[in-house]
Amino acid sequence: MKKNKKTAVKSRIARYSKNSHKLRNIILLVVGLLLIVSGTFAWMAIHNTKSAIDKTYKSSGVTKSRNVSSVVQSGKPLSILLFGTDTGELGRTYKGRTDSMMLLLVNPKTKKTTMISIPRDAMVSIPGYESTFPQKINAAYAYGSTATAIKTVESYLNIPIDFYALVNMSGLEKMVTQVGGISVKSPINFTYSQDTAHAYGANLYRFHKGSTGYEHSDDNGVTWSATKHVMTGDAALAFSRMRYDDPDGDYGRQKRQRLVLEALIKKSANVSSLLNTKFMNTMSSNVQTDLSFGDLTTIASKYINAAKKIVTEHIQGVSTSYPDSEGNNVSYEVVTQKEKQRVTNLARKSLGLKHASTGSAYGGDIPSSLQTIADSLRPENDESTDSEDSSSN
């Protein structure tokens, strides 16, 4: 009898132990599969990102004004100069004027990113090409590529530029499409066709102030589509391109470009986009930067909180004109030293730097033969001339 009891107890223990091992093995198997799957997805994301970033990398060709590796590794606020072009896919030897310029100031301590638009028509003296004064700031890239554009902005505002990114604005259409579209509230009412660059023609879009809604027409506005609230890539491009009918001119367009970029950044900053090979390939064909994959992975871990709050700003100029070599009047935006100082203060504070005077009136030095012209082009009641700024700085 005792033997039977002992045998029964051993049998129950064996069955329990066997079932326990089965349960444990099942749990381990499930956990293992989850780890393998998640690990595979993580590897794919990293692999796709690294491959794309490797294709976008191109050195700026300029000696940076501060140790950017130290800035990134220590998690200090950093600056990125964004150039927008309006071309086809970027070649590694692309040259031409930049259609738009923005400063991106990322501060992980305040958890804030500041975007500042620079008017492309801002009158400057380009460092290394001073004899061509007056020039528009968007010509700096055409004259001396990335290095010259960076030097021009640094001397113009007296701030350090840590990195640059050249973005093909036409490529935004493909990137917006790849992330499934974006929603942006329009700051004004307007109608625009990319075919005519005005409020008439085929492929016409109609946007509404304070609303994400828009309509599309293929017959010059005779009939309109139902209202949509998610912009396609083509709609986003039309929204960001219109200039002539905006009451604020190019400043209004800059604002709409910032809205599109902000929406795209927020929409694309997720794992599904990283796993989307088409999106990554589109990005690599339309972005050029001196941010390496290592820089970006460090930024992703140390600066991610700065994306929680995005503040937008712009530099306001005064419109003027000056004849070119053929006698044709060319429009410019001349920025007062007071306005430049305001932006310099904002930028340096965002970067955690001490207060300093803004750069010289036109950035680069003015040849003595052109000094009188430079002074005459300053806005009325501007508190200083270029010659005074040069001596004080």
Side-chain angles (χ1 to χ4, degrees):
M1 189 73 178
K2 290 182 178 179
K3 287 183 178 180
N4 289 337
K5 284 184 178 180
K6 288 181 179 180
T7 301
V9 170
K10 288 181 178 180
S11 178
R12 285 196 299 270
I13 293 173
R15 287 198 304 272
Y16 175 81
S17 178
K18 188 176 182 180
N19 290 335
S20 177
H21 285 312
K22 283 184 178 179
L23 181 61
R24 182 191 65 190
N25 290 340
I26 290 172
I27 293 173
L28 289 176
L29 178 61
V30 172
V31 172
L33 286 172
L34 288 174
L35 288 174
I36 291 172
V37 171
S38 63
T40 300
F41 273 94
W43 179 85
M44 286 175 64
I46 293 172
H47 175 74
N48 287 345
T49 303
K50 187 178 188 307
S51 177
I53 296 304
D54 286 345
K55 291 179 182 178
T56 67
Y57 181 83
K58 185 176 182 180
S59 172
S60 65
V62 66
T63 301
K64 301 295 177 67
S65 56
R66 58 179 183 169
N67 188 330
V68 293
S69 295
S70 176
V71 169
V72 173
Q73 291 299 324
S74 59
K76 294 180 179 179
L78 59 83
S79 63
I80 302 172
L81 182 59
L82 299 178
F83 305 110
T85 69
D86 203 8
T87 65
E89 290 191 352
L90 291 178
R92 300 306 88 178
T93 58
Y94 173 82
K95 287 296 290 287
R97 291 188 178 225
T98 49
D99 192 56
S100 59
M101 298 179 75
M102 293 184 196
L103 273 173
L104 195 65
L105 310 170
V106 188
N107 191 321
K109 295 180 180 179
T110 60
K111 299 180 181 179
K112 183 170 72 174
T113 295
T114 304
M115 294 174 65
I116 305 175
S117 291
I118 302 173
R120 66 176 191 170
D121 294 341
M123 183 181 285
V124 296
S125 172
I126 301 174
Y129 302 89
E130 291 87 351
S131 61
T132 67
F133 176 84
Q135 287 288 345
K136 296 183 178 184
I137 199 167
N138 70 338
Y141 185 85
Y143 271 95
S145 198
T146 308
T148 300
I150 290 175
K151 289 177 183 177
T152 302
V153 175
E154 284 188 328
S155 60
Y156 190 62
L157 294 173
N158 191 18
I159 58 171
I161 301 298
D162 299 319
F163 300 100
Y164 85 92
L166 182 64
V167 182
N168 173 21
M169 298 302 288
S170 296
L172 282 178
E173 176 182 356
K174 296 178 182 178
M175 286 188 273
V176 168
T177 298
Q178 291 297 337
V179 298
I182 58 174
S183 293
V184 177
K185 286 185 179 181
S186 178
I188 59 172
N189 293 311
F190 72 96
T191 304
Y192 181 76
S193 166
Q194 296 192 69
D195 294 357
T196 63
H198 290 286
Y200 58 84
N203 195 24
L204 197 63
Y205 286 93
R206 183 170 64 189
F207 301 95
H208 308 282
K209 183 177 180 179
S211 172
T212 58
Y214 71 95
E215 296 84 35
H216 180 260
S217 172
D218 279 324
D219 53 12
N220 196 23
V222 176
T223 57
W224 293 93
S225 69
T227 300
K228 301 177 182 179
H229 292 275
V230 178
M231 288 184 184
T232 62
D234 190 62
L237 199 58
F239 179 80
S240 63
R241 271 181 168 169
M242 193 278 286
R243 177 185 184 188
Y244 299 114
D245 295 330
D246 194 307
D248 293 325
D250 197 48
Y251 293 104
R253 183 174 67 161
Q254 290 171 22
K255 182 177 182 179
R256 283 178 277 112
Q257 287 176 346
R258 291 196 300 268
L259 290 172
V260 169
L261 285 173
E262 182 179 349
L264 180 60
I265 289 170
K266 290 180 178 178
K267 192 72 180 287
S268 61
N270 57 64
V271 175
S272 62
S273 292
L274 294 178
L275 296 177
N276 187 327
T277 303
K278 289 184 178 180
F279 175 80
M280 299 308 296
N281 289 338
T282 298
M283 188 192 76
S284 65
S285 299
N286 292 284
V287 176
Q288 182 175 291
T289 180
D290 62 347
L291 280 159
S292 67
F293 179 74
D295 293 328
L296 287 172
T297 53
T298 303
I299 289 172
S301 63
K302 295 185 178 182
Y303 293 76
I304 192 162
N305 287 333
K308 292 182 178 180
K309 183 178 181 181
I310 299 178
V311 178
T312 61
E313 261 283 0
H314 76 279
I315 301 175
Q316 182 65 51
V318 178
S319 298
T320 189
S321 62
Y322 188 77
D324 60 15
S325 57
E326 297 179 356
N328 301 312
N329 276 337
V330 178
S331 60
Y332 294 91
E333 292 293 308
V334 181
V335 184
T336 66
Q337 286 297 88
K338 182 178 180 180
E339 172 66 359
K340 286 200 320 99
Q341 185 66 61
R342 181 187 72 84
V343 176
T344 295
N345 292 345
L346 174 63
R348 293 185 70 88
K349 183 177 180 180
S350 298
L351 294 173
L353 301 175
K354 294 181 179 178
H355 172 82
S357 297
T358 189
S360 59
Y362 297 107
D365 294 331
I366 299 295
S368 57
S369 59
L370 298 173
Q371 188 64 63
T372 301
I373 295 174
D375 290 343
S376 68
L377 291 171
R378 299 305 300 165
E380 289 185 17
N381 303 319
D382 192 17
E383 67 276 12
S384 60
T385 63
D386 186 67
S387 56
E388 291 170 343
D389 290 325
S390 299
S391 62
S392 64
N393 285 329

